[in-house]
Amino acid sequence: MNRRQFATRSLAAMAGAVLHRHYGIADSSHSADQTPGSVPDSLIQKARFPEGFLWGTATASYQVEGAWNQDGKGESVWDRFTHTPGKVRGGVTGDVACDQYHRYPEDIALGKRLNQKSQRFSISWPRIQPAGTGIPNMKGLDHYSRFVDALLGAGIRPWCTMYHWDLPQALEDRGGWPNRDLANHFADYAGILAKHLGDRITVWAPFNMPWAIAFMGYAAGAFPPCRTSFSDFLKAAHTLALAQAEALRAVKAASSKATVGSAYEMAPAYPKTDTEDDRAAAARYHAMNNVFFLDAAMHGRYPKAFVGEPPYELMGFKADDEKLLHAPLDWVGFHYYTRRIVADASKERFLGAGNFSGTEIENNAPGGRDPYTRFRAAMPTEGPLTEAGLEVWPSGIYDLVTQISREYNHPIIEITESGCGYLDGPDEHGRIPDGRRIQWYREVLAELARAIADGARVRAFHAWTLLDNFQWAEGHTERYGLIYTDFRNQKRTIKDSGLWYSRVAASNRLDV
Ligand code: FCB
């Protein structure tokens, strides 16, 4: 079976599956020659966002700040990783990145020009505690204090991710996230942030993509510290879930204005066929990759992500941990980039992990990705791919948002990241005509508007990202920004998509 047949068949098999596609308008409006997955123009024309909707962008400290060893900042695991030859495409590092540590007034002014009302940014833990514990480094805190003041001065809500992957290397040297002690160290750090910045920041999330921190770092070995042990992954995941809850309590104890939510990665999971087994596998994917940490916080227990009982012992789970995990979020934040098709692998003999491949580090070996979740998750290629290699599938955001709304009793939702990688650069007039990015956002946002119209309480959307930056192991080979960064001289140029997004933010509609 070729890829297209596979995709068509899996879609056909989706009728009656865990997730359905149901357009608000008749499906016949999709003509045969339309790009698979594309959204009809009529949906884009009629999309409206509510008054007061928070249009924003998201960034991450290591991807934009630079100044990697300035003002007393300690080494992070990403400094160590990028300084190791062969780890990052093109050998680039985040030593300078977008130099935002020095240029933030310019970047905040650009955000204001784009009519932004919310800026999701992250704080670098090793700027605050260079070795991960102990008294705070005031120079680091002062920097973020100025940064937050500048945002407020521009009428932009400061939205703080406490951890977007830059763990102090000293804590990795003490075992990293599989070491349960990190939950308390993280809570101390969170308390410091809330004590010093909680008079002005009211919107906090402990972790960006906790599943990826654990999986990419400790099971797949693609990100620092590059370990490949499934039991380290499970232990890291458990520490992160404990840390999430401890941080929520620490932040609320230090700041009465604090609200705490999340910035989870999520991808809607569709069963490959309509069999009971594939539907159960898709449900396990959803439990493991999407809501593992959300369930832990909301219910004090892990969802059914495993074929059997959760491997509590391997996770380092102790009696009464349920109570520690329980820390209900005030609102639920998650990212949307693309979707997954999931197949069962529990009936096959498991032939060992490793050998991960694909956009989300999947394992197509017999028996599935790992001995506990036993599924195969693939990103289909029915829709077109972005230049960063992710399938464009706009209705995925509708399915995901409505699913989370249903499953968690209609919480307030924030889209914490959503965006696409295209490499468009300046034309001969210095303009950046990135029409594909505009189209990507038009379609995804039309589907988000449809979810809102159907009752989902979404209050914010953060485009990933404000400006082209250091894209992790891909270096500078992927560009996600609404603003073009010339890394030779740090010149910023607003792309056509940025100009378009500013009009969307001003009008709450997409046909602008
Ligand atoms: C997300 C990360 C973000 C950025 C985008 C493209 O997974 O949170 O830092 O790299 O992908």
Side-chain angles (χ1 to χ4, degrees):
M1 205 188 312
N2 68 29
R3 274 182 159 179
R4 176 157 299 275
Q5 286 166 329
F6 159 78
T8 318
R9 282 186 203 182
S10 21
L11 276 177
M14 257 186 250
V18 173
L19 285 170
H20 309 259
R21 301 182 62 196
H22 35 132
Y23 282 102
I25 47 168
D27 250 357
S28 57
S29 62
H30 293 257
S31 68
D33 57 351
Q34 229 175 352
T35 311
S38 73
V39 167
D41 226 47
S42 54
L43 197 67
I44 293 166
Q45 305 293 335
K46 75 173 189 197
R48 295 289 180 276
F49 287 81
E51 190 62 36
F53 190 77
L54 292 162
W55 295 98
T57 61
T59 60
S61 50
Y62 189 73
Q63 293 182 273
V64 294
E65 285 180 351
W68 78 279
N69 59 359
Q70 242 181 287
D71 288 345
K73 176 181 165 294
E75 186 190 18
S76 80
V77 294
W78 273 90
D79 293 318
R80 180 71 62 92
F81 180 85
T82 61
H83 294 159
T84 307
K87 293 293 190 192
V88 179
R89 279 206 193 184
V92 297
T93 71
D95 290 2
V96 178
C98 302
D99 195 30
Q100 194 182 74
Y101 191 76
H102 302 110
R103 293 170 194 261
Y104 70 89
E106 179 187 352
D107 289 347
I108 291 171
L110 283 165
K112 185 175 179 182
R113 231 179 107 190
L114 298 191
N115 298 319
Q116 299 306 288
K117 289 285 174 286
S118 178
Q119 179 64 56
R120 176 173 169 246
F121 67 99
S122 80
I123 291 185
S124 161
W125 187 351
R127 284 197 198 284
I128 308 301
Q129 291 176 299
T133 57
I135 52 156
N137 167 31
M138 287 315 293
K139 282 191 173 163
L141 280 169
D142 288 347
H143 168 75
Y144 291 109
S145 184
R146 289 190 296 271
F147 182 83
V148 167
D149 285 344
L151 284 173
L152 289 169
I156 300 174
R157 176 184 71 159
W159 194 121
C160 179
T161 313
M162 300 179 230
Y163 181 99
H164 199 128
W165 303 357
D166 35 7
L167 182 70
Q169 180 63 43
L171 288 183
E172 183 50 46
D173 296 342
R174 290 159 73 171
W177 286 110
N179 173 3
R180 190 182 165 107
D181 295 346
L182 263 71
N184 289 330
H185 296 322
F186 184 73
D188 289 345
Y189 160 65
I192 292 171
L193 297 185
K195 180 172 166 219
H196 290 271
L197 302 167
D199 55 334
R200 287 155 291 157
I201 300 177
T202 59
V203 182
W204 303 88
F207 295 108
N208 179 66
M209 302 172 62
W211 181 86
I213 297 166
F215 196 84
M216 304 290 270
Y218 297 91
F223 286 174
C226 305
R227 281 192 237 166
T228 51
S229 149
F230 203 77
S231 66
D232 279 352
F233 157 68
L234 290 171
K235 286 192 180 68
H238 187 47
T239 308
L240 286 159
L242 292 167
Q244 165 182 261
E246 298 292 5
L248 179 143
R249 287 186 280 269
V251 166
K252 293 210 167 191
S255 162
S256 57
K257 296 187 199 165
T259 69
V260 180
S262 58
Y264 301 132
E265 69 265 53
M266 291 195 191
Y270 306 86
K272 183 173 176 184
T273 72
D274 197 25
T275 58
E276 198 48 49
D277 285 348
D278 282 353
R279 291 162 60 118
R284 289 198 299 281
Y285 175 97
H286 182 64
M288 179 83 263
N289 287 55
N290 294 344
V291 299
F292 195 73
F293 298 92
L294 180 55
D295 257 26
M298 295 305 207
H299 306 307
R301 59 172 154 66
Y302 291 120
K304 294 191 178 350
F306 307 100
V307 168
E309 272 293 289
Y312 287 120
E313 208 167 305
L314 262 186
M315 299 175 93
F317 200 96
K318 292 191 185 160
D320 282 346
D321 274 0
E322 288 91 350
K323 286 195 195 114
L324 295 179
L325 291 173
H326 191 221
L329 306 180
D330 298 303
W331 44 271
V332 179
F334 52 90
H335 310 349
Y336 178 72
Y337 286 94
T338 191
R339 65 171 173 157
R340 292 287 179 270
I341 303 273
V342 184
D344 178 50
S346 66
K347 308 275 183 302
E348 303 160 20
R349 218 175 122 223
F350 181 70
L351 287 185
N355 192 21
F356 295 99
S357 66
T359 51
E360 202 194 48
I361 320 287
E362 292 124 8
N363 183 350
N364 280 321
R369 187 172 65 177
D370 64 74
Y372 302 98
T373 58
R374 306 297 298 272
F375 58 69
R376 259 186 229 103
M379 186 196 69
T381 54
E382 187 195 7
L385 304 186
T386 66
E387 280 181 328
L390 299 185
E391 189 200 25
V392 181
W393 202 258
S395 62
I397 196 168
Y398 176 91
D399 291 338
L400 185 59
V401 164
T402 50
Q403 184 178 13
I404 295 297
S405 291
R406 267 196 316 275
E407 291 177 354
Y408 294 89
N409 196 20
H410 296 275
I412 293 170
I413 290 175
E414 298 221 4
I415 302 301
T416 37
E417 284 181 26
S418 192
C420 49
Y422 292 108
L423 288 164
D424 306 286
D427 66 13
E428 65 276 23
H429 310 292
R431 209 187 107 194
I432 294 124
D434 58 335
R436 291 172 298 180
R437 179 171 288 101
I438 295 176
Q439 191 55 18
W440 193 95
Y441 278 115
R442 275 162 57 93
E443 298 193 33
V444 166
L445 284 168
E447 289 289 343
L448 182 63
R450 193 162 68 87
I452 294 171
D454 285 355
R457 296 166 68 204
V458 184
R459 75 172 177 204
F461 179 87
H462 299 88
W464 182 272
T465 178
L466 179 67
L467 73 170
D468 296 336
N469 56 36
F470 174 83
Q471 182 49 40
W472 307 115
E474 307 305 323
H476 290 163
T477 65
E478 292 179 358
R479 289 178 177 268
Y480 277 86
L482 297 169
I483 296 173
Y484 183 85
T485 307
D486 186 335
F487 292 104
R488 294 167 305 182
N489 55 19
Q490 293 296 343
K491 183 165 174 267
R492 280 87 157 118
T493 308
I494 301 175
K495 301 180 189 179
D496 281 3
S497 59
L499 298 170
W500 173 81
Y501 194 60
S502 72
R503 297 195 293 275
V504 170
S507 64
N508 290 327
R509 50 198 294 164
L510 305 173
D511 54 343
V512 290

Coordinates of all heavy atoms in Angstrom, one line a residue, residues 48 129 167 181 318 344 355 368 402 422 445 458:
R48 N -15.2 34.3 13.0 CA -15.1 35.5 13.9 C -14.6 35.0 15.3 O -14.9 34.0 15.7 CB -16.5 36.1 14.2 CG -17.2 36.7 12.9 CD -16.5 37.9 12.4 NE -17.2 38.4 11.2 CZ -17.0 38.0 10.0 NH1 -16.1 37.1 9.8 NH2 -17.7 38.5 9.0
Q129 N 18.9 30.6 39.1 CA 19.7 29.8 40.0 C 20.8 29.1 39.1 O 20.5 28.1 38.5 CB 18.9 28.8 40.7 CG 17.9 29.4 41.7 CD 17.0 28.4 42.3 OE1 16.2 27.7 41.6 NE2 17.1 28.2 43.6
L167 N 17.4 23.2 31.4 CA 17.7 22.8 32.8 C 19.1 23.2 33.2 O 20.1 23.1 32.4 CB 17.6 21.2 32.8 CG 17.9 20.6 34.2 CD1 16.8 20.8 35.2 CD2 18.1 19.1 34.0
D181 N 14.4 14.3 43.4 CA 14.7 15.5 44.1 C 14.4 16.8 43.3 O 14.2 17.9 43.8 CB 16.1 15.6 44.5 CG 16.5 14.5 45.5 OD1 15.6 13.9 46.1 OD2 17.7 14.3 45.7
K318 N 5.5 6.4 44.7 CA 5.5 6.1 46.1 C 4.0 6.1 46.6 O 3.2 6.9 46.1 CB 6.3 7.0 47.0 CG 7.8 6.9 46.7 CD 8.6 7.7 47.7 CE 10.0 7.6 47.4 NZ 10.8 8.7 48.1
D344 N -2.5 -0.3 16.8 CA -2.2 -1.1 17.9 C -1.0 -2.0 17.6 O -0.8 -2.4 16.5 CB -3.4 -2.1 18.2 CG -3.1 -3.0 19.3 OD1 -2.7 -2.5 20.4 OD2 -3.3 -4.2 19.1
N355 N 16.0 2.8 17.8 CA 15.6 2.9 16.4 C 14.4 3.8 16.2 O 13.5 3.4 15.4 CB 15.4 1.4 15.9 CG 15.3 1.3 14.4 OD1 15.8 2.2 13.7 ND2 14.6 0.3 13.9
G368 N 5.8 -2.2 18.5 CA 5.5 -0.8 18.8 C 6.6 0.0 19.4 O 7.8 -0.5 19.5
T402 N -12.2 20.5 20.8 CA -13.5 20.0 21.3 C -13.4 18.8 22.1 O -14.1 18.6 23.1 CB -14.5 19.8 20.1 OG1 -13.8 18.9 19.1 CG2 -14.9 21.1 19.4
Y422 N 8.3 27.6 7.4 CA 8.6 27.9 5.9 C 9.8 28.8 5.9 O 9.9 29.7 6.7 CB 7.4 28.5 5.2 CG 6.2 27.6 5.1 CD1 5.0 27.8 5.9 CD2 6.2 26.5 4.2 CE1 3.9 27.0 5.7 CE2 5.1 25.7 4.1 CZ 3.9 26.0 4.8 OH 2.8 25.1 4.7
L445 N -6.9 28.8 12.0 CA -7.7 29.7 12.8 C -9.2 29.6 12.5 O -10.1 29.8 13.3 CB -7.2 31.1 12.7 CG -5.9 31.4 13.4 CD1 -5.3 32.7 13.0 CD2 -6.1 31.4 15.0
V458 N -12.2 29.0 24.4 CA -10.8 29.3 24.1 C -10.7 30.9 24.2 O -11.4 31.6 23.6 CB -10.5 28.9 22.7 CG1 -9.0 29.2 22.4 CG2 -10.8 27.5 22.4

